Amino acid sequence: MVRLNKIYTRTGDNGTTSLVSGPRRPKSDLRVEAYGTVDEANALVGLARLHTGDIAELDAMLMRIQNDLFDLGADLATPDTGEKQDHEPLRIAAAQVTRLEAEIDRLNAELEPLRSFVLPAGSPASAALHVARTVARRAERQMVALGQTAGEIVSRDAIAYINRLSDFLFVAARWANDKGRADVLWVPGKNR
């Protein structure tokens, strides 16, 4: 388990940070950007949860997701080098992706089909979930770019998880808008 006695170490004052596996990378490194953006998405899910406490089923799903996002951050902060490590690194598992898909299907079953794009608005919970969704999409773009970089590996399950997460957050945002009845729909060219 993690044990943090001292919060500041001064080791990052030179613009580098340590990966879980030990090597130091510049704080501008794409891997650091990717897991930092996953952390940002996690914080925004936490912010959304301020508005979902009275929606117990959704709040429980979001709490599981917050734990998963820490798993994803650990996965990204421990690059797969193909070498044997002294401990089993934490990786996103296919079962986490499957659980997200089941939760998407569960929430989506109660929604009316869309007739237009949805504006990120409506209830405070919905708006906050849309913000988390857009940050999850940014994390996905960074993870894909990282995986396309020579010498860098990002697992298929990690990419699938972050892709499915943004889908989940979209459906959850609609579900939090009175199961889609309070969605604010885009009206193309409305203000011309």
Coordinates of all heavy atoms in Angstrom, one line a residue, residues 142-178:
Q142 N -4.1 11.6 -25.3 CA -2.7 11.5 -24.9 C -2.2 10.1 -24.7 O -1.1 9.8 -25.1 CB -2.6 12.3 -23.5 CG -2.8 13.8 -23.6 CD -2.9 14.5 -22.3 OE1 -3.3 13.8 -21.3 NE2 -2.7 15.8 -22.3
M143 N -3.1 9.2 -24.2 CA -2.7 7.8 -24.1 C -2.4 7.2 -25.5 O -1.5 6.4 -25.6 CB -3.7 7.0 -23.3 CG -3.7 7.4 -21.8 SD -5.2 6.7 -21.0 CE -5.0 5.0 -21.2
V144 N -3.3 7.5 -26.4 CA -3.1 7.0 -27.8 C -1.8 7.5 -28.4 O -1.0 6.8 -28.9 CB -4.3 7.3 -28.7 CG1 -4.0 7.0 -30.1 CG2 -5.5 6.5 -28.2
A145 N -1.5 8.8 -28.2 CA -0.3 9.4 -28.7 C 0.9 8.7 -28.0 O 1.9 8.4 -28.7 CB -0.3 10.9 -28.5
L146 N 0.8 8.5 -26.7 CA 1.9 7.8 -26.0 C 2.2 6.5 -26.6 O 3.3 6.1 -26.8 CB 1.6 7.8 -24.5 CG 2.6 7.1 -23.6 CD1 3.9 7.8 -23.6 CD2 2.0 6.9 -22.2
G147 N 1.1 5.7 -26.8 CA 1.2 4.4 -27.3 C 1.8 4.3 -28.7 O 2.3 3.3 -29.2
Q148 N 1.7 5.4 -29.5 CA 2.2 5.5 -30.8 C 3.7 6.0 -30.9 O 4.3 6.1 -31.9 CB 1.3 6.4 -31.7 CG 0.0 5.8 -31.9 CD -1.0 6.8 -32.6 OE1 -0.8 8.0 -32.6 NE2 -2.1 6.3 -33.1
T149 N 4.2 6.3 -29.7 CA 5.6 6.8 -29.6 C 6.5 5.6 -29.5 O 6.3 4.7 -28.7 CB 5.7 7.7 -28.3 OG1 4.8 8.8 -28.4 CG2 7.1 8.3 -28.1
A150 N 7.6 5.7 -30.2 CA 8.6 4.6 -30.2 C 9.1 4.3 -28.8 O 9.4 5.3 -28.0 CB 9.8 5.0 -31.1
G151 N 9.1 3.1 -28.4 CA 9.6 2.7 -27.1 C 8.6 2.8 -26.0 O 8.9 2.4 -24.8
E152 N 7.4 3.3 -26.2 CA 6.4 3.4 -25.2 C 5.2 2.4 -25.4 O 4.8 2.2 -26.6 CB 5.8 4.8 -25.2 CG 6.8 5.9 -24.9 CD 7.2 6.0 -23.4 OE1 6.7 5.1 -22.6 OE2 8.0 6.8 -23.1
I153 N 4.8 1.8 -24.4 CA 3.7 0.8 -24.5 C 2.5 1.3 -23.6 O 2.7 1.7 -22.4 CB 4.1 -0.6 -24.0 CG1 5.2 -1.1 -25.0 CG2 3.0 -1.6 -24.0 CD1 5.9 -2.4 -24.5
V154 N 1.3 1.3 -24.1 CA 0.1 1.5 -23.4 C -0.8 0.3 -23.7 O -1.0 0.0 -24.8 CB -0.6 2.8 -23.7 CG1 -1.9 3.0 -23.0 CG2 0.3 4.0 -23.5
S155 N -1.3 -0.4 -22.7 CA -2.0 -1.6 -22.9 C -3.4 -1.3 -23.6 O -4.0 -0.3 -23.4 CB -2.3 -2.3 -21.6 OG -3.3 -1.7 -20.9
R156 N -3.8 -2.4 -24.3 CA -5.1 -2.3 -25.0 C -6.3 -2.1 -23.9 O -7.2 -1.3 -24.2 CB -5.4 -3.6 -25.7 CG -4.5 -3.8 -26.9 CD -4.7 -5.1 -27.6 NE -5.8 -4.9 -28.5 CZ -5.7 -5.2 -29.8 NH1 -4.6 -5.6 -30.3 NH2 -6.7 -5.0 -30.6
D157 N -6.1 -2.7 -22.8 CA -7.2 -2.6 -21.7 C -7.2 -1.2 -21.2 O -8.3 -0.6 -20.9 CB -7.0 -3.6 -20.6 CG -7.3 -5.0 -21.0 OD1 -8.1 -5.2 -21.9 OD2 -6.7 -6.0 -20.5
A158 N -6.0 -0.5 -21.1 CA -6.0 0.8 -20.6 C -6.7 1.8 -21.6 O -7.5 2.6 -21.2 CB -4.6 1.3 -20.3
I159 N -6.4 1.6 -22.8 CA -7.0 2.4 -23.9 C -8.5 2.2 -23.9 O -9.3 3.1 -24.0 CB -6.4 2.2 -25.3 CG1 -4.9 2.6 -25.3 CG2 -7.2 2.9 -26.4 CD1 -4.6 4.0 -25.3
A160 N -8.9 0.9 -23.9 CA -10.3 0.5 -23.9 C -11.1 1.2 -22.7 O -12.2 1.7 -22.8 CB -10.5 -1.0 -23.9
Y161 N -10.4 1.1 -21.5 CA -11.1 1.6 -20.3 C -11.3 3.1 -20.5 O -12.4 3.6 -20.2 CB -10.2 1.4 -19.1 CG -10.9 1.8 -17.8 CD1 -11.8 1.0 -17.2 CD2 -10.8 3.2 -17.4 CE1 -12.6 1.5 -16.1 CE2 -11.5 3.6 -16.3 CZ -12.4 2.7 -15.6 OH -13.1 3.2 -14.6
I162 N -10.3 3.9 -20.9 CA -10.5 5.4 -20.9 C -11.5 5.7 -22.0 O -12.3 6.7 -21.9 CB -9.2 6.1 -21.1 CG1 -9.3 7.6 -20.7 CG2 -8.6 5.9 -22.5 CD1 -9.6 7.9 -19.3
N163 N -11.5 4.9 -23.1 CA -12.5 5.2 -24.2 C -13.9 4.9 -23.6 O -14.9 5.7 -23.9 CB -12.2 4.3 -25.4 CG -13.1 4.5 -26.5 OD1 -13.7 5.6 -26.7 ND2 -13.4 3.5 -27.3
R164 N -14.1 3.8 -23.0 CA -15.4 3.4 -22.4 C -15.8 4.4 -21.3 O -17.0 4.7 -21.1 CB -15.4 2.0 -21.9 CG -16.6 1.2 -22.1 CD -16.9 1.0 -23.6 NE -16.1 -0.2 -24.1 CZ -15.1 -0.1 -24.9 NH1 -14.7 1.0 -25.4 NH2 -14.5 -1.2 -25.3
L165 N -14.8 4.9 -20.6 CA -15.2 5.8 -19.5 C -15.9 7.1 -20.0 O -16.9 7.5 -19.5 CB -13.9 6.3 -18.7 CG -14.2 7.3 -17.6 CD1 -15.2 6.8 -16.6 CD2 -12.9 7.8 -17.0
S166 N -15.4 7.6 -21.1 CA -16.0 8.8 -21.7 C -17.4 8.5 -22.1 O -18.3 9.3 -22.0 CB -15.2 9.5 -22.7 OG -14.8 8.6 -23.7
D167 N -17.6 7.3 -22.7 CA -19.0 6.9 -23.1 C -19.9 6.8 -21.8 O -21.0 7.2 -21.8 CB -18.9 5.5 -23.8 CG -18.2 5.5 -25.1 OD1 -18.1 6.6 -25.7 OD2 -17.7 4.4 -25.5
F168 N -19.3 6.2 -20.8 CA -20.1 6.1 -19.5 C -20.5 7.5 -19.0 O -21.6 7.7 -18.6 CB -19.3 5.4 -18.4 CG -20.0 5.4 -17.1 CD1 -20.9 4.5 -16.7 CD2 -19.7 6.5 -16.2 CE1 -21.6 4.6 -15.5 CE2 -20.3 6.6 -15.0 CZ -21.3 5.6 -14.6
L169 N -19.5 8.4 -19.0 CA -19.8 9.7 -18.4 C -20.8 10.5 -19.3 O -21.7 11.2 -18.7 CB -18.5 10.5 -18.4 CG -17.5 10.0 -17.3 CD1 -16.1 10.7 -17.5 CD2 -18.0 10.2 -15.9
F170 N -20.9 10.2 -20.6 CA -21.9 10.8 -21.4 C -23.3 10.3 -21.0 O -24.2 11.0 -20.8 CB -21.6 10.6 -22.9 CG -22.7 11.1 -23.8 CD1 -22.8 12.4 -24.1 CD2 -23.6 10.2 -24.4 CE1 -23.8 12.9 -24.9 CE2 -24.6 10.7 -25.2 CZ -24.7 12.0 -25.5
V171 N -23.4 9.0 -21.0 CA -24.6 8.3 -20.6 C -25.1 8.7 -19.2 O -26.2 9.0 -18.9 CB -24.6 6.8 -20.8 CG1 -25.8 6.1 -20.2 CG2 -24.4 6.5 -22.3
A172 N -24.1 8.8 -18.3 CA -24.4 9.1 -16.9 C -24.9 10.6 -16.8 O -25.8 10.9 -16.0 CB -23.2 8.9 -16.0
A173 N -24.3 11.5 -17.6 CA -24.7 12.9 -17.6 C -26.2 13.0 -18.1 O -27.0 13.7 -17.5 CB -23.8 13.7 -18.5
R174 N -26.5 12.2 -19.1 CA -27.9 12.2 -19.6 C -28.8 11.6 -18.5 O -29.9 12.1 -18.2 CB -28.1 11.4 -20.9 CG -27.4 12.0 -22.0 CD -27.9 11.5 -23.3 NE -29.3 11.7 -23.5 CZ -30.2 10.9 -24.0 NH1 -29.8 9.7 -24.4 NH2 -31.5 11.2 -24.1
W175 N -28.4 10.5 -17.9 CA -29.2 9.9 -16.8 C -29.4 10.8 -15.6 O -30.5 10.8 -15.1 CB -28.5 8.6 -16.4 CG -29.3 7.6 -15.7 CD1 -30.2 6.7 -16.3 CD2 -29.4 7.3 -14.3 NE1 -30.8 5.9 -15.3 CE2 -30.3 6.3 -14.1 CE3 -28.7 7.9 -13.2 CZ2 -30.6 5.7 -12.9 CZ3 -29.0 7.3 -12.0 CH2 -29.9 6.3 -11.8
A176 N -28.4 11.6 -15.3 CA -28.5 12.6 -14.2 C -29.4 13.7 -14.6 O -29.9 14.5 -13.7 CB -27.1 13.1 -13.8
N177 N -29.7 13.9 -15.8 CA -30.7 14.9 -16.3 C -32.1 14.3 -16.4 O -32.7 14.3 -17.5 CB -30.2 15.5 -17.7 CG -29.5 16.8 -17.6 OD1 -29.5 17.4 -16.6 ND2 -28.9 17.1 -18.7
D178 N -32.5 13.8 -15.3 CA -33.9 13.2 -15.2 C -34.0 12.2 -16.3 O -35.0 12.2 -17.0 CB -35.0 14.3 -15.3 CG -36.3 13.8 -14.9 OD1 -36.4 12.8 -14.2 OD2 -37.3 14.4 -15.4

